[in-house]
Amino acid sequence: MKKGIVLPLLTLLLLLSVFFGYRAYKADMRRKEAEIRAENERALADVKRQEAERRAAAEIEARRLAEEKARQEALEAEQRLARLRSEQAAAEAARRAAEEAARRAAADREQLVREKEAAQGEARRLAALREKEAAAAEAQRLAALQKLQDLEREKREMADREAMRLAALGRQQATEVRRGSLPLLSRSVYPLDYKRKEHYYIGVEIYNAMAREGGPPIRPPETAPAPATPTPPRN
C-alpha cells in the first residue's frame, strides 16, 4: 500500500515540479522577452532619437548651407552687379573719351586742313616770290656778266690796240734804227755780155729798198769778179 501511494506521490511531485518549472521557465522567458522587447524598444527609440537628431542636425546644416549659399550667391550677385555697373561706367567713360577723342581728331584734321591750305597758299606765294627774285637775280647776274664781258672785251680791245700801237711803234723805231744803220749798196756796171747782170741789178735794188724801209736785211747780191765802173745809188 505504501508503494502504491509513494509512486503516485512521486509522479505528482514530478508533475508539480515540471509544472512549476515550466511556469517558472515561461515566466522567465516572458520576463526575458519583455526585457528584450524593452531593450529593443529602447534601442529603437535611441535609433529613432539619433535619426531624429541626425535629421534635425542635417536640416540645420542644410538650412545653414542654404543660408550660406544664398548669402554667397547674394554676395556674388552684388559683386557681379557692382562689376557690371563698374564695367558699364568704364564703357560709358570709354565711349565719352572716344567721342571726345573723335571730336578732337576731327577738329585737329580741320585745323590741319586749314593750316595745310594756308601753308600751301603761303608756299605758292613764297615760291612765286622766290621765282621772281630768282628771275630778277638771274637777270641782274646776266646783266652784270654782260657788263663784265663788255668791259673785258673793251679792255682786251684796248690792250690789243695798245699792243698793236706799241708793236708798230717798236717796228717803226727799229726801222728808223735800221734805216740809219744799214748801208746802201752801189751798183756796179757790167758789160752787156755778162749773163747775170740783170739778177745782180735786181738784187741791189731789193737790198737798197729793204735798207731804206728799215726792214730785216737780206743777203747782199754777189758781185762779179771784175766789176765795171760803178754808178751812184738811187734814192
Side-chain angles (χ1 to χ4, degrees):
M1 182 167 177
K2 289 182 180 180
K3 289 183 179 180
I5 295 172
V6 172
L7 185 59
L9 289 174
L10 291 173
T11 302
L12 180 61
L13 290 174
L14 179 60
L15 291 173
L16 289 173
S17 62
V18 170
F19 173 73
F20 286 111
Y22 177 74
R23 287 185 63 182
Y25 170 75
K26 292 293 289 183
D28 185 59
M29 288 296 295
R30 285 194 295 271
R31 182 180 59 79
K32 289 182 178 180
E33 289 177 357
E35 290 178 355
I36 291 172
R37 282 196 301 271
E39 185 67 26
N40 289 335
E41 289 176 357
R42 285 194 299 272
L44 182 60
D46 291 338
V47 170
K48 290 180 178 180
R49 181 180 55 78
Q50 292 176 0
E51 182 66 21
E53 291 177 354
R54 186 184 64 78
R55 283 198 301 270
E59 290 176 357
I60 293 172
E61 182 66 18
R63 284 195 299 270
R64 187 187 68 80
L65 292 176
E67 292 174 356
E68 180 67 21
K69 183 179 180 181
R71 187 182 64 80
Q72 186 67 27
E73 289 178 353
L75 180 61
E76 291 178 356
E78 290 179 358
Q79 291 177 352
R80 284 195 301 271
L81 181 60
R83 186 168 59 252
L84 289 174
R85 288 177 178 174
S86 177
E87 292 176 355
Q88 184 179 3
E92 182 69 17
R95 183 184 62 80
R96 292 179 180 177
E99 291 177 353
E100 181 65 19
R103 186 187 64 78
R104 290 181 179 178
D108 292 341
R109 285 195 299 271
E110 293 177 357
Q111 182 66 23
L112 287 175
V113 169
R114 289 193 296 269
E115 291 178 356
K116 183 178 180 181
E117 291 176 353
Q120 289 177 351
E122 183 66 16
R124 286 193 295 269
R125 187 185 68 80
L126 292 176
L129 181 60
R130 285 194 296 269
E131 185 177 358
K132 290 181 180 179
E133 292 177 352
E138 182 66 15
Q140 292 178 358
R141 187 185 68 82
L142 292 176
L145 180 61
Q146 186 64 37
K147 288 181 180 180
L148 290 175
Q149 291 176 352
D150 294 340
L151 181 60
E152 184 179 359
R153 185 176 62 256
E154 291 177 0
K155 289 183 178 181
R156 186 169 58 251
E157 291 176 355
M158 291 176 62
D160 292 341
R161 287 195 297 270
E162 183 66 17
M164 292 173 63
R165 188 183 68 80
L166 292 176
L169 181 60
R171 287 194 300 272
Q172 184 179 359
Q173 291 176 354
T175 300
E176 293 294 334
V177 171
R178 285 194 299 272
R179 183 179 295 173
S181 61
L182 292 176
L184 298 178
L185 295 178
S186 60
R187 188 177 66 177
S188 300
V189 178
Y190 292 96
L192 295 176
D193 58 351
Y194 183 62
K195 295 180 179 180
R196 298 185 61 187
K197 66 178 181 178
E198 295 297 333
H199 295 285
Y200 170 72
Y201 293 157
I202 293 172
V204 171
E205 292 294 335
I206 293 173
Y207 180 85
N208 289 333
M210 294 293 292
R212 292 189 190 96
E213 294 296 330
I218 62 174
R219 182 179 179 183
E222 295 181 357
T223 59
T229 303
T231 58
R234 298 177 183 178
N235 293 325

